[in-house]
Amino acid sequence: MDHDHVREVDPAVADALEGEVDRQRSTLQMIASENHVSEAVVDAQGSVLTNKYAEGYPGSRYYGGCEYADEVEELAIERATELFGAEHVNVQPHSGTQANQAVYFAMLEPGDKILSLDLNHGGHLSHGHPANFVGQLYEVEQYEVDPETGYLDYEGLAEHAEEFEPDVIVSGYSAYPREIEWERIQEAADSVGAYHLADIAHITGLVAAGVHPSPVGIADFVTGSTHKTIRSGRGGIVMCDEEYADDIDSAVFPGGQGGPLMHNVAGKAVGFKEALEPEFEEYAEQTVANAEALGERLAENGFSLVSGGTDNHLVLVDLRESHPDTSGGDAEEALEEAGIVLNGNTVPGETRSPFDPSGIRAGTPALTTRGFDEDDCRTVADLITRVIDDPEDESVLEEVRAEVADLCEANPLYE
Ligand code: DSN
């Protein structure tokens, strides 16, 4: 993976790009929303389609010269349709947040009501946080997970919906380690005449591979990002039934965006093709098996896991019981020094701040892409434990960093 053309023009940026390749090769990427796309996806995203303006949709653009842009976007749509079984797919959103924005813009008026999961309980900024446009344009109330079990409280959600009478209920989360029962949320939405938006950003790949139940055909709208577990080009996607297709397409463009990022759409097409191969199902299954192994070993090592474990690609660790003097931020910093990159994360019943929360979130999508199995993930859990037990001991961090380097060498990336 070279950057020769960049180097000729701009050695400073070339150095940074090469530094980043080396960082990804030589450290463990455990941010649950990240992954390592294939070189084919990197090529597609780095292509001359970045030059092309293609406002509109295939066959109906506002500019000439869209023959190849059309071809690429049609392929992305065709493959996404095959992967998810949706009646209508829009592959143009620049991100998962913009996919959500399109649904709100299509179906709601400013001031309408959204019921969504609290950020500290695993929700997302674009589901209604006051700092996001969603929290400012709409009236938002939030549901929570059961404080005892860490699982979604479906009955509480339904009662909350009865009281609040939202126009849309948002499901799908950024830090929720358990399987989501879409039908139960749909029932709550139906009982108050609300739309149901299922945001599968984190689990898009698991849903595509059939290792997590799909909300397609249940929820009115399904949004996602395309570069997390699905490992395709960077951006977002919206899926819906044909009856909402025109509204959603108009809300994406011209409603919320200008020209689509056609190089990213090409990356999506290529990644979706890869996800249609049988190996992708094995990858998704291994990702979940790895997260289970990671979580089990962390629990054996004395950590408290929100909900007690995981059904998907991530674990959420609440450090307050096992390591009351170590915040998620402290843990994140020490782990990064030891070559393990993950993020401090808020937890249900958060008592610190989002800037220095009480938990850490760790995911296995990227480790699995580079070939890690359950044994490797148990080893990683032991390394995490050693660091968090002694976050200030430089010799521990150095020893762990050396073991991380061995694991990386045994599972090479971007050779
Ligand atoms: N930033 C992503 C995450 O880490 O979950 C969500 O957009």
Side-chain angles (χ1 to χ4, degrees), residues 31-34 97 124 174-175 201-202 225 228 343 361:
I31 292 176
S33 47
E34 293 185 0
T97 290
H124 188 255
S174 294
H202 263 255
S225 47
K228 296 181 175 131
N343 62 288
R361 186 186 66 164

Side-chain angles (χ1 to χ4, degrees), residues 84-86 171 180-190 194-198 212-222 239-241 244:
F84 297 101
S171 65
I180 302 163
E181 296 177 50
W182 308 111
E183 288 89 350
R184 295 186 72 181
I185 300 170
Q186 186 62 43
E187 275 166 29
D190 285 344
Y195 293 114
H196 177 191
L197 159 58
H212 186 290
S214 174
V216 173
I218 299 171
D220 302 290
F221 304 95
V222 178
M239 296 176 267
C240 62
D241 285 349
Y244 301 120

Side-chain angles (χ1 to χ4, degrees), residues 38-348:
S38 69
E39 291 184 57
V41 171
V42 173
D43 265 2
Q45 290 205 151
S47 68
V48 294
L49 269 175
T50 190
N51 298 333
K52 190 70 199 101
Y53 266 116
E55 279 93 332
Y57 290 98
S60 170
R61 307 278 191 186
Y62 289 82
Y63 292 96
C66 288
E67 169 188 0
Y68 298 107
D70 279 6
E71 226 170 88
V72 160
E73 186 166 346
E74 272 162 5
L75 283 167
I77 291 169
E78 206 176 282
R79 290 167 184 167
T81 305
E82 194 176 340
L83 277 172
F84 297 101
E87 283 182 17
H88 179 73
V89 180
N90 186 308
V91 295
Q92 290 191 7
H94 301 334
S95 69
T97 290
Q98 288 194 268
N100 289 337
Q101 180 189 13
V103 175
Y104 303 137
F105 190 59
M107 308 318 296
L108 303 180
E109 296 296 328
D112 277 356
K113 297 181 189 175
I114 296 176
L115 179 61
S116 58
L117 186 68
D118 187 282
L119 188 68
N120 284 350
H121 289 241
H124 188 255
L125 284 171
S126 67
H127 295 178
H129 192 273
N132 188 270
F133 74 94
V134 183
Q136 300 185 14
L137 275 186
Y138 305 103
E139 186 184 340
V140 180
E141 287 199 7
Q142 302 212 287
Y143 56 96
E144 300 186 343
V145 298
D146 182 316
E148 297 303 316
T149 63
Y151 279 67
L152 282 171
D153 173 7
Y154 294 96
E155 281 167 23
L157 189 167
E159 282 165 22
H160 198 154
E162 293 287 343
E163 282 162 28
F164 181 50
E165 298 184 333
D167 298 287
V168 59
I169 297 181
V170 183
S171 65
Y173 315 104
S174 294
Y176 182 67
R178 292 300 182 178
E179 192 169 292
I180 302 163
E181 296 177 50
W182 308 111
E183 288 89 350
R184 295 186 72 181
I185 300 170
Q186 186 62 43
E187 275 166 29
D190 285 344
S191 73
V192 295
Y195 293 114
H196 177 191
L197 159 58
D199 176 352
I200 59 169
H202 263 255
I203 55 171
T204 310
L206 308 185
V207 168
V211 307
H212 186 290
S214 174
V216 173
I218 299 171
D220 302 290
F221 304 95
V222 178
T223 55
S225 47
T226 48
H227 49 276
K228 296 181 175 131
T229 45
I230 189 95
R231 222 170 42 181
S232 81
R234 192 164 190 112
I237 186 170
V238 186
M239 296 176 267
C240 62
D241 285 349
E242 209 49 59
E243 65 172 306
Y244 301 120
D246 289 344
D247 291 333
I248 289 296
D249 286 352
S250 307
V252 173
F253 171 81
Q257 297 186 173
L261 308 177
M262 288 312 304
H263 53 307
N264 283 11
V265 173
K268 292 174 191 181
V270 173
F272 293 160
K273 181 166 195 291
E274 292 171 341
L276 282 163
E277 298 298 325
E279 296 79 41
F280 188 78
E281 194 178 320
E282 287 165 30
Y283 161 72
E285 279 166 2
Q286 188 65 51
T287 298
V288 174
N290 283 350
E292 273 170 10
L294 177 80
E296 276 166 20
R297 181 58 72 88
L298 285 171
E300 281 163 24
N301 291 353
F303 286 97
S304 164
L305 268 52
V306 174
S307 84
T310 182
D311 301 323
N312 60 26
H313 62 298
L314 67 85
V315 296
L316 186 59
V317 179
D318 187 337
L319 294 170
R320 288 175 296 187
E321 252 178 58
S322 60
H323 298 78
D325 299 327
T326 306
S327 69
D330 296 337
E332 175 188 312
E333 211 173 294
L335 285 163
E336 183 169 358
E337 218 178 298
I340 300 173
V341 184
L342 47 66
N343 62 288
N345 211 94
T346 52
V347 293

Side-chain angles (χ1 to χ4, degrees), residues 294 297-298 300-301 376-387 389 400:
L294 177 80
R297 181 58 72 88
L298 285 171
E300 281 163 24
N301 291 353
D376 296 322
C377 288
R378 282 187 274 272
T379 303
V380 171
D382 290 341
L383 297 178
I384 290 173
T385 307
R386 276 161 61 189
V387 171
D389 281 348
V400 170

